[in-house]
């Protein structure tokens, strides 16, 4: 009997054990049917579904995805609710929590945990693509300058004569902006690119090309696990090492970055010239011809408070070596892509060392750099590379509202680095900077003194440049910000060689700014006065006065931004004043539920001189009237039809051959096609 | 004998005076220039002929670089002009290689000359004085002009109506003086620059906020920084940037959202509160609550309306009576791009919990 009872007892216990969760589950008024607890969901925007098991009123329940209340975004019916996120949900773990007040008037809460993978094979895999298509066809073209003379620049002109606009009768453009990424475990790979198509019925100017072209691309592969990080990049890369070696160098190239705990290393190779499209490949090539190669390594010590780095870069830059020695007559300057520099087949290498410290959380930062180069500005001649060096020591930091920086630098007479062509050379000196940044006032003070001819070459003078700058900003009245800046520059030569010209100039610049801001409206006025005082017998003084005013009024469907600049320059030697007036207007508007937009941007420029050598005015404007069709078509393609206006008129009273009056009207068909998979 | 002496004297005088007469027949502009050591230099030289008898070609087979002591080098490009009515003009762009200046300096001077001898109708000689200077001294000259966008490249792709497209110009120069130039988009002058340059050797210019680079016009656009002073003919070619404006539109520039209720720093009952704000053209709003200003979010919610009713369930679970909380609202468009954001507001729940159960 006891045994029989005991068997029944165990049976009941076992049944209860099995049924308890079911009862508990069944007791909830809301059941999440998708996703299921502790499952892996394959998808990018997983649907969330719930069922009501008892009557609930709006406001008596809250559904949260990862802690954010999504209740009001759900589609709710009497039976339950559904919700599909409108954007990609990140891969990994997620939590859906439900809180409600049950029939017992007590709060209830439960959560469903799940994780997301984009596919069976890869935790994350997606490709976002945006296609732009554009057709432009001329409806009206009025051109008064079919036989106009070639624009000629004359001495003293503040604005170069405008060229006759070369608008095609028809033009087709397309662009595919693509971003794709695959991630699994510690690995991830991504590719971003813009593939472009361009065609028109007239020739294109450099660097543009007709047909398909890859405007830019970047492939990256990453591995990251524990303290080991590796990254391989190829395509349009940017190399940043140290200020005196290679910094902000953006080219076609390949770069590897590796990091293991406190030790790191970088290796890179790049095309030395800026290239457009696929030209340049992955930037690996001969460093004696047109590529650069470099490597750096370093170690971070004392919890990253100290960083010691060494770097080596070598290469050749022939980008501007193609010009002939002499051109007759001077040809029209061809378009150069991105950078333009003096000619010469430049070649060199550099070894650098950089030590940075930050022991007091940005209160006291130090940088010390020493670099040694061998550089030849033109390796086609008989002169070989020359050795030179550069040194830099910097100390700075920020303590509450006070900032400070002190810098000493020395750059040798022959210093040069392939990949950092803008570096100054043959100068030494120091600069000091400090600032006071209060909530409603800012004051910054800067002083510097530099001299050239660091090796005291007797064939050259020594020129000392001293500069001081004080800038104050007052923001106590939030709607009337104002400030001023005063700058003094002294430049003086000494030890001039026989027959050399003395330099002794002083430049004073005073500038102010005042604004008024209220809501969506703002206006700013900033006058500036500067005088270059040449104290030598040449007495080539110059006065420069600039008045600039700009305003902006922006609403969600309307914005208007006029701007005005009046620039006056006086050449004291000739006592001639030259005036340049620039009026700008930008206007944006949308109406009829955002379906129609009218946008325009235009400039009027006038240039005069009081000796009547210059007197011209130019109107130049473009405007677009567009109608968006996507509300009518209800497809994922967003088409737009529109009209584009272009207007150019030049009235030159001195050189009437430059006069022109052009008007063009184009029909524009365009479409935006987003494709995500 | 007397006649013979006179003839010899006449010949000598002719020989001495002939060059000076022929030099007077050609003038050269500029007559002197500074060239910077350690780099190639470009100089545009104009030769003007006058008072030459007859019509025909004046030719020069080469230009010669020389110091008072020695010949330094040659420019072997010939030059020809046609003289008519006694006058003629010819211009050449001379690129002076680095080694010419190095040879000059090696010979112990910084002064040298460039000379062309013309022949044809008349033998004429034109000479330009040249002085090698360092980078700091001399007249203002542009050595390098590098244009780029925020991505560091000379090409970028932006969405239609993108509000913050900026371009930069790194200008490396020698000497000092007044820089004049302007930003130009598709041939349209956008903004004018006129400022003195110290002997700092490099400046960076940025396109202004107003007028901004136009992005309302789809397709490819080209951008340049056109230098008008120093004389562009004496400098380097002007580089071009390219940007493409897509047909897909960027989110509208975020506007300020006004928080309406509860009022700033108000004390509110510890109960289900209605939070209201200014309605903009947003598809959805995100309201966020914080315990400290700029701190971690303690609770947030999406809504399509211009208000949010804090549920009682959330109130009791997350918020405490007597505590101050901060809140802000962000508006998103259909593509979930931010188009509006409020400033952070604050409120305090009253210490009383009497209403909490309602």
């Amino acid at each position: 009997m006891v045994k029989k009872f005991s068997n029944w007892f165990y049976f009941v216990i076992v049944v209860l054990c099995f049924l308890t969760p079911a009862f508990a589950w069944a007791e909830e008024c809301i059941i999440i049917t998708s996703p299921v607890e502790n499952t892996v969901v394959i998808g990018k925007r997983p649907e969330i579904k719930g069922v009501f098991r008892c009557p609930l009123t709006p406001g008596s329940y809250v559904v949260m995805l990862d802690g954010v209340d999504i209740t009001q975004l759900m589609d709710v019916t009497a039976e339950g609710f559904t919700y599909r996120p409108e954007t990609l949900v990140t891969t990994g773990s997620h939590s859906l929590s439900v809180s409600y007040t049950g029939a017992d008037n007590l709060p209830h809460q439960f959560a469903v945990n799940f994780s997301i993978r984009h596919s069976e094979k890869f935790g994350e895999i997606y490709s976002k693509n945006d296609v732009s298509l554009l057709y432009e066809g001329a409806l009206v073209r009025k051109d008064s300058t079919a036989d106009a003379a070639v624009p000629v620049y004359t001495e003293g002109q503040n604005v170069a004569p405008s060229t006759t606009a070369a608008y095609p009768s028809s033009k087709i453009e397309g662009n595919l902006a693509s971003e794709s990424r695959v991630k699994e475990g510690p690995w991830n790979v991504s590719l971003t690119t813009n593939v472009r198509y361009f065609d028109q019925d007239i020739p294109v100017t450099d660097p543009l090309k007709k047909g398909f072209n890859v405007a830019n691309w970047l492939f990256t592969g990453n591995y990251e696990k524990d303290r080991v990080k590796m990254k391989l990049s190829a395509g349009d890369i940017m190399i940043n090492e140290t200020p005196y070696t290679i910094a902000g160098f953006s080219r076609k190239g390949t770069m590897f970055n590796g990091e293991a705990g406190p030790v790191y290393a970088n290796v890179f190779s790049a095309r030395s010239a800026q290239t457009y499209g696929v030209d340049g490949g992955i930037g690996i090539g001969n460093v004696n011809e047109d590529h650069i190669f470099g490597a750096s390594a370093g170690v971070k010590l004392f919890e990253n408070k100290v960083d010691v780095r060494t770097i080596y870069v070598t290469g050749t830059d022939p980008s501007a070596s193609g010009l002939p020695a002499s051109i007759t007559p001077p040809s029209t300057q061809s378009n150069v892509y991105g950078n333009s520099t003096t000619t010469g087949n430049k070649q060199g290498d550099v070894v650098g060392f950089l030590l940075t410290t930050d022991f007091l959380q940005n209160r006291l930062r130090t940088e010390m750099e020493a670099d040694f180069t061998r550089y030849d500005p033109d390796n086609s001649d008989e002169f070989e590379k020359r050795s030179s060096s550069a040194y830099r020591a910097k100390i700075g930091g920020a303590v509450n509202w006070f900032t400070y920086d002190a810098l000493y630098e020395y750059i040798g007479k022959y210093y040069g680095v392939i990949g950092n062509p803008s570096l100054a050379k043959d100068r030494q000196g120091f600069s000091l900077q400090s600032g006071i940044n209060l909530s409603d006032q800012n004051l910054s003070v800067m002083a510097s003194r530099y001299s050239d001819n660091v090796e005291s070459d007797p064939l050259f003078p020594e020129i000392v440049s001293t500069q001081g700058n004080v800038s104050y900003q007052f923001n106590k009245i939030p709607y009337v910000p104002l400030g001023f800046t005063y700058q003094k520059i002294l430049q003086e030569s000494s030890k001039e060689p026989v027959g050399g010209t003395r330099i002794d100039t002083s430049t004073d610049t005073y500038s102010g700014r005042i604004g008024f801001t209220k809501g969506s409206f703002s206006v700013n006025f900033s006058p500036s006065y500067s005088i270059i005082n040449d104290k030598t017998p040449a007495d080539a003084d110059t006065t420069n006065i600039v008045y600039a005013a700009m305003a902006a009024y922006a609403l969600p469907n309307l914005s208007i931004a006029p701007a005005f600049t009046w620039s006056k320059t006086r050449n004291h030697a000739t006592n001639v004043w030259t005036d340049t007036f620039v009026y700008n207007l930008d206007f944006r508007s949308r109406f009829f539920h955002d379906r129609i937009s009218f946008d325009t941007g235009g400039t009027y420029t006038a240039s005069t001189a009081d000796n009547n050598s210059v007197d011209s005015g130019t109107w130049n404007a473009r405007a677009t009237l567009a109608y968006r069709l996507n509300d009518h078509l209800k497809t994922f393609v967003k088409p737009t039809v529109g009209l584009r206006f272009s207007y150019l008129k030049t009235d030159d009273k001195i050189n009437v051959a430059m006069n022109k009056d052009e008007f063009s009207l184009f029909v524009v068909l365009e479409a935006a096609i987003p494709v995500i998979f | 004998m007397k006649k013979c002496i006179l003839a010899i004297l006449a010949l000598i005088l002719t020989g001495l005076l002939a060059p000076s007469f022929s030099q007077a027949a050609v003038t050269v502009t500029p007559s002197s220039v500074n060239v910077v050591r350690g780099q190639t230099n470009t100089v545009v030289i104009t030769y003007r002929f006058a008072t030459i008898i007859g019509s025909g070609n004046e030719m020069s087979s080469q230009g010669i670089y020389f110091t008072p002591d020695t010949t330094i080098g040659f420019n072997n490009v010939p030059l020809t002009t046609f003289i008519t009515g006694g006058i003629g003009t010819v211009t050449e762009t001379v690129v002076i290689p680095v080694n010419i200046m190095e040879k000059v300096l090696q010979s112990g001077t910084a002064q040298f000359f460039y000379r062309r001898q013309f022949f044809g109708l008349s033998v004429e000689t034109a000479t330009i004085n040249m002085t090698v200077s360092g980078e700091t001294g001399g007249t203002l000259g542009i050595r390098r002009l590098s244009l780029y966008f925020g991505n560091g490249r000379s090409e970028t792709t932006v969405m239609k109506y993108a509000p913050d497209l900026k371009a930069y110009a790194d200008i490396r120069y020698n000497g000092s003086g007044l820089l004049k130039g302007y930003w130009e988009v598709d041939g349209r002058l956008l903004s004018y620059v006129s400022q003195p340059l110290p002997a700092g050797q490099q400046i960076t210019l940025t396109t202004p906020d107003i007028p901004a680079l136009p992005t309302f016009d789809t397709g490819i656009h080209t951008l340049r920084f056109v230098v008008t002073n120093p004389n562009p003919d004496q400098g380097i070619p002007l580089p071009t940037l390219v940007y493409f404006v897509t047909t897909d539109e960027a989110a509208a520039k975020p506007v300020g959202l006004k928080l309406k209720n509860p009022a700033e720093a108000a004390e509110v009952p510890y109960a289900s509160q209605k939070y209201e704000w200014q309605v903009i053209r947003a598809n959805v709003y995100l309201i966020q609550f914080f315990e400290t200003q700029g701190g971690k979010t303690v609770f947030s919610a999406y809504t399509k309306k211009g208000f949010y009713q804090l549920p009682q369930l959330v109130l009791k679970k997350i918020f405490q009576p007597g505590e101050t909380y901060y809140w802000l609202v962000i508006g998103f468009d259909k593509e979930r791009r931010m188009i509006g954001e409020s400033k952070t507001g604050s409120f305090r729940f009253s210490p009383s919990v009497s209403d909490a159960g309602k």
Side-chain angles (χ1 to χ4, degrees):
Chain A
M1 180 66 187
V2 173
K3 195 178 177 186
K4 209 172 184 179
F5 177 77
S6 152
N7 287 341
W8 268 107
F9 177 77
Y10 289 132
F11 175 74
V12 170
I13 291 291
V14 168
V15 169
L16 278 175
C17 284
F18 274 108
L19 290 180
T20 301
F23 281 133
W25 188 56
E27 274 175 10
E28 298 289 2
C29 262
I30 299 175
I31 298 170
I32 299 297
T33 54
S34 175
V36 179
E37 168 78 4
N38 289 328
T39 55
V40 176
V41 179
I42 306 294
K44 290 163 187 170
R45 298 192 300 127
E47 188 174 48
I48 290 166
K49 277 186 181 174
V51 176
F52 296 139
R53 298 293 295 261
C54 47
L56 287 168
T57 55
S60 64
Y61 59 93
V62 176
V63 180
M64 293 196 280
L65 179 61
D66 298 326
V68 182
D69 180 0
I70 56 166
T71 316
Q72 295 191 31
L73 302 185
M74 300 188 310
D75 294 323
V76 181
T77 62
E79 288 75 36
F81 57 82
T82 58
Y83 170 69
R84 187 180 287 280
E86 291 182 29
T87 53
L88 284 181
V89 178
T90 56
T91 55
S93 300
H94 295 273
S95 174
L96 186 73
S97 69
V98 178
S99 306
Y100 65 94
T101 305
D104 52 6
N105 211 23
L106 291 173
H108 296 254
Q109 185 186 343
F110 68 93
V112 174
N113 296 308
F114 62 100
S115 61
I116 290 181
R117 287 175 66 85
H118 285 171
S119 78
E120 295 278 357
K121 283 187 177 174
F122 301 106
E124 189 174 325
I125 179 166
Y126 66 81
S127 182
K128 284 199 266 188
N129 303 277
D130 288 297
V131 179
S132 295
L133 296 175
L134 168 69
Y135 167 78
E136 200 174 282
L139 296 176
V140 178
R141 297 178 72 178
K142 182 191 159 204
D143 183 354
S144 68
T145 57
D147 301 317
V150 176
V152 176
Y153 177 84
T154 52
E155 187 80 31
Q157 268 186 291
N158 284 346
V159 179
S162 55
T163 51
T164 300
Y167 292 119
S169 297
S170 66
K171 184 172 77 170
I172 296 175
E173 292 184 59
N175 187 74
L176 166 66
S178 176
E179 180 197 345
S180 305
R181 183 177 153 97
V182 177
K183 185 180 178 190
E184 179 59 37
W187 295 94
N188 79 69
V189 175
S190 68
L191 174 68
T192 56
T193 185
N194 278 281
V195 180
R196 204 158 287 163
Y197 179 79
F198 187 83
D199 195 15
Q200 62 183 26
D201 61 350
I202 59 173
V204 292
T205 52
D206 283 340
L208 302 178
K209 292 177 179 67
K210 284 187 180 180
F212 281 101
N213 212 333
V214 180
N216 56 63
W217 65 280
L218 177 65
F219 168 85
T220 55
N222 280 280
Y223 175 85
E224 188 171 342
K225 191 170 187 183
D226 302 327
R227 299 181 73 195
V228 177
K229 291 179 189 169
M230 285 186 283
K231 184 178 179 184
L232 180 71
S233 313
D236 288 284
I237 61 166
M238 183 182 276
I239 305 166
N240 263 316
E241 289 290 347
T242 72
Y244 285 171
T245 56
I246 188 165
F249 189 68
S250 183
R251 295 288 189 275
K252 288 280 187 309
T254 300
M255 180 163 58
F256 171 79
N257 313 108
E259 196 177 319
V263 182
Y264 60 88
N266 308 309
V267 182
F268 53 84
S269 178
R271 181 84 179 261
S272 46
Q274 184 91 261
T275 53
Y276 182 75
V278 287
D279 190 18
I282 58 171
I284 296 176
N286 191 341
V287 294
N288 291 316
E289 289 180 359
D290 54 0
H291 283 76
I292 66 164
F293 170 82
S296 70
V299 58
K300 292 177 181 174
L301 305 168
F302 308 111
E303 296 172 333
N304 296 341
K305 288 177 176 134
V306 176
D307 187 345
V308 186
R309 171 186 297 223
T310 181
I311 174 172
Y312 169 75
V313 182
T314 184
T316 305
D317 182 3
S319 54
S321 63
L323 286 177
S326 188
I327 308 160
T328 310
S331 59
T332 306
Q333 289 180 340
S334 59
N335 277 349
V336 180
Y337 180 55
N339 300 294
S340 180
T341 188
T342 53
T343 58
N345 198 35
K346 304 166 183 77
Q347 191 173 65
D349 44 62
V350 60
V351 175
F353 304 93
L354 177 69
L355 169 68
T356 57
T357 68
D358 182 6
F359 283 106
L360 299 171
Q361 293 172 328
N362 206 34
R363 289 185 177 88
L364 178 68
R365 288 176 282 103
T366 64
E367 278 183 46
M368 276 168 278
E369 182 174 354
D371 306 282
F372 307 92
T373 64
R374 291 185 315 129
Y375 183 73
D376 186 351
D378 189 354
N379 69 356
S380 62
D381 62 26
E382 65 272 39
F383 292 95
E384 297 292 321
K385 288 177 188 165
R386 281 180 160 141
S387 298
S388 195
S389 56
Y391 309 96
R392 187 172 65 94
K394 186 178 178 185
I395 183 168
V399 183
N400 299 325
W401 44 262
F402 180 71
T403 60
Y404 68 97
D405 269 305
L407 169 71
Y408 167 79
E409 51 189 339
Y410 169 94
I411 309 170
K413 184 176 176 181
Y414 300 109
Y415 194 82
V417 177
I418 301 296
N420 200 345
S422 293
L423 263 178
K425 63 183 173 190
D426 198 14
R427 70 196 296 248
Q428 64 176 328
F430 66 89
S431 73
L432 305 168
Q433 269 182 297
S434 77
I436 295 170
N437 302 297
L438 304 175
S439 60
D440 47 20
Q441 295 179 79
N442 302 87
L443 175 70
S444 71
V445 180
M446 190 279 284
S448 68
R449 188 176 189 278
Y450 283 89
S451 62
D452 74 345
N453 197 3
V454 294
E455 292 182 9
S456 299
D457 188 333
L459 294 175
F460 296 95
E462 182 182 303
I463 300 168
V464 176
S465 302
T466 309
Q467 187 172 335
N469 190 312
V470 181
S471 187
Y472 176 74
Q473 183 72 30
F474 181 77
N475 298 324
K476 197 152 192 163
I477 310 166
Y479 53 88
V480 186
L482 54 96
F484 72 86
T485 301
Y486 170 67
Q487 185 186 57
K488 176 126 189 139
I489 304 164
L490 298 170
Q491 201 177 3
E492 202 169 356
S493 67
S494 60
K495 304 173 191 168
E496 295 91 358
V498 177
T501 313
R502 191 165 70 87
I503 293 173
D504 189 2
T505 59
S506 162
T507 305
D508 293 271
T509 303
Y510 308 83
S511 58
R513 52 202 171 270
I514 184 166
F516 176 76
T517 304
K518 186 162 189 185
S520 301
F521 175 76
S522 68
V523 60
N524 289 283
F525 175 60
S526 51
S528 162
Y529 172 87
S530 61
I531 179 157
I532 302 172
N533 181 11
D534 183 355
K535 298 173 187 171
T536 66
D539 200 22
D541 295 355
T542 307
T543 301
N544 183 54
I545 304 169
V546 179
Y547 303 99
M550 53 207 67
Y553 181 62
L555 295 173
N557 58 348
L558 177 87
S559 76
I560 183 164
F564 164 68
T565 308
W566 176 16
S567 180
K568 285 174 73 69
T569 307
R570 181 187 171 205
N571 183 336
H572 291 236
T574 57
N575 198 26
V576 172
W577 281 98
T578 311
D579 294 80
T580 304
F581 304 87
V582 180
Y583 304 84
N584 261 290
L585 179 67
D586 271 18
F587 179 80
R588 311 270 177 276
S589 63
R590 286 172 168 232
F591 34 96
F592 289 125
H593 305 287
D594 283 354
R595 286 177 191 153
I596 297 181
S597 62
F598 176 70
D599 310 304
T600 183
T603 308
Y604 174 70
T605 312
S607 203
T608 61
D610 63 3
N611 65 349
N612 295 324
S613 61
V614 179
D615 188 358
S616 66
T618 298
W619 291 92
N620 200 332
R622 279 167 83 96
T624 302
L625 179 67
Y627 187 84
R628 291 166 186 76
L629 297 166
N630 42 316
D631 283 351
H632 302 290
L633 299 176
K634 300 285 181 192
T635 66
F636 69 101
V637 179
K638 298 180 212 168
T640 302
V641 293
L643 294 172
R644 184 171 291 165
F645 310 84
S646 172
Y647 179 63
L648 171 67
K649 180 179 172 130
T650 298
D651 181 15
D652 194 325
K653 293 184 174 61
I654 308 300
N655 191 357
V656 288
M658 293 296 104
N659 286 355
K660 53 178 69 86
D661 189 357
E662 299 169 12
F663 173 76
S664 308
L665 173 63
F666 300 90
V667 63
V668 180
L669 307 174
E670 54 186 51
I673 309 168
V675 183
I676 301 176
F677 53 88
Chain B
M1 183 65 185
K2 217 173 184 179
K3 279 183 182 174
C4 191
I5 292 168
L6 278 170
I8 291 168
L9 275 172
L11 272 173
I12 292 168
L13 274 172
T14 308
L16 285 173
L17 293 175
S20 55
F21 281 139
S22 38
Q23 274 173 14
V26 58
T27 53
V28 58
T29 310
S31 59
S32 64
V33 291
N34 282 307
V35 291
V36 181
R37 72 180 172 198
Q39 64 176 69
T40 51
N41 287 259
T42 305
V43 182
V44 177
I45 300 169
T46 302
Y47 306 89
R48 288 191 177 84
F49 297 87
T51 65
I52 290 182
I53 300 162
S55 291
N57 281 334
E58 272 292 285
M59 293 158 287
S60 167
S61 57
Q62 62 177 194
I64 305 169
Y65 301 102
F66 65 98
T67 64
D69 301 326
T70 183
T71 299
I72 299 294
F74 300 92
N75 172 18
N76 289 319
V77 177
L79 206 57
T80 303
T81 184
F82 189 76
I83 306 292
T84 174
I87 58 171
T89 301
V90 63
T91 301
E92 69 169 333
T93 301
V94 181
V95 179
I96 306 167
V98 177
N99 67 333
I100 293 292
M101 284 158 289
E102 291 300 323
K103 286 178 187 173
V104 170
L105 296 173
Q106 272 189 350
S107 68
T109 179
Q111 315 283 330
F112 69 110
F113 307 93
Y114 177 71
R115 174 173 291 169
R116 267 194 185 272
Q117 192 160 50
F118 292 88
F119 54 91
L121 295 176
S122 169
V123 177
E124 307 291 344
T125 304
T127 306
I128 299 104
N129 297 326
M130 296 189 169
T131 305
V132 185
S133 69
E135 293 185 353
T136 315
T139 51
L140 182 65
I142 307 295
R143 281 189 58 193
R144 179 180 168 82
L145 186 50
S146 177
L147 305 184
Y148 54 94
F149 292 105
N151 59 10
R153 300 200 305 265
S154 303
E155 182 277 339
T156 195
T157 303
V158 294
M159 298 177 94
K160 192 174 181 181
Y161 300 123
D164 300 319
L165 178 62
K166 290 272 184 187
Y168 306 87
D170 283 351
I171 301 178
R172 176 90 162 79
Y173 59 94
N174 51 261
S176 58
L178 190 66
L179 172 75
K180 289 185 185 181
Y182 55 89
W183 291 100
E184 180 197 82
V185 184
D186 301 326
R188 171 192 159 205
L189 189 154
L190 191 74
S191 71
Y192 191 74
V193 175
S194 176
Q195 68 177 77
L197 295 185
Q201 303 184 3
Q202 180 174 332
I203 56 157
T204 299
L205 302 175
T206 309
T207 52
D209 293 329
I210 299 173
L213 286 173
T215 55
F216 68 87
D217 220 356
T218 50
I220 283 178
H221 301 272
T222 55
L223 172 67
R224 301 193 303 165
F225 183 77
V226 179
V227 177
T228 56
N229 190 60
N231 187 341
D233 285 343
Q234 303 288 350
I236 54 178
L238 296 173
T240 304
L241 291 184
V242 175
Y243 69 96
F244 184 89
V245 178
T246 67
T247 49
D248 197 17
E249 295 179 8
K253 197 172 183 179
V255 294
L257 272 173
K258 270 189 188 167
L259 300 180
K260 286 184 177 173
N261 186 49
E264 174 57 15
E267 182 170 300
V268 298
Y270 184 66
S272 173
Q273 277 296 321
K274 190 176 185 182
Y275 296 84
E276 292 178 273
W277 53 86
Q278 176 197 358
V279 175
I280 58 169
R281 294 181 169 203
N283 183 252
V284 64
Y285 299 93
L286 175 68
I287 178 170
Q288 295 178 297
F289 295 90
F290 311 89
E291 279 180 340
T292 56
Q293 198 159 12
K296 207 175 168 185
T297 312
V298 293
F299 175 70
S300 55
Y302 282 114
T303 177
K304 294 193 171 185
K305 299 168 185 167
F307 64 90
Y308 179 73
Q309 186 83 39
L310 185 66
Q312 193 75 37
L313 290 159
V314 173
L315 173 83
K316 291 169 74 179
K317 192 180 157 196
I318 293 170
F319 296 89
Q320 299 297 321
E323 292 294 322
T324 297
Y325 291 93
Y326 300 87
W327 65 300
L328 72 80
V329 177
I330 301 169
F332 298 95
D333 67 5
K334 282 179 192 169
E335 278 85 33
R336 285 291 189 275
R337 299 175 300 200
M338 190 175 83
I339 57 168
E341 186 178 15
S342 73
K343 289 181 179 171
T344 304
S346 69
F347 64 92
R348 181 173 180 266
F349 281 120
S350 63
S352 162
V353 294
S354 55
D355 295 332
K358 290 179 184 173

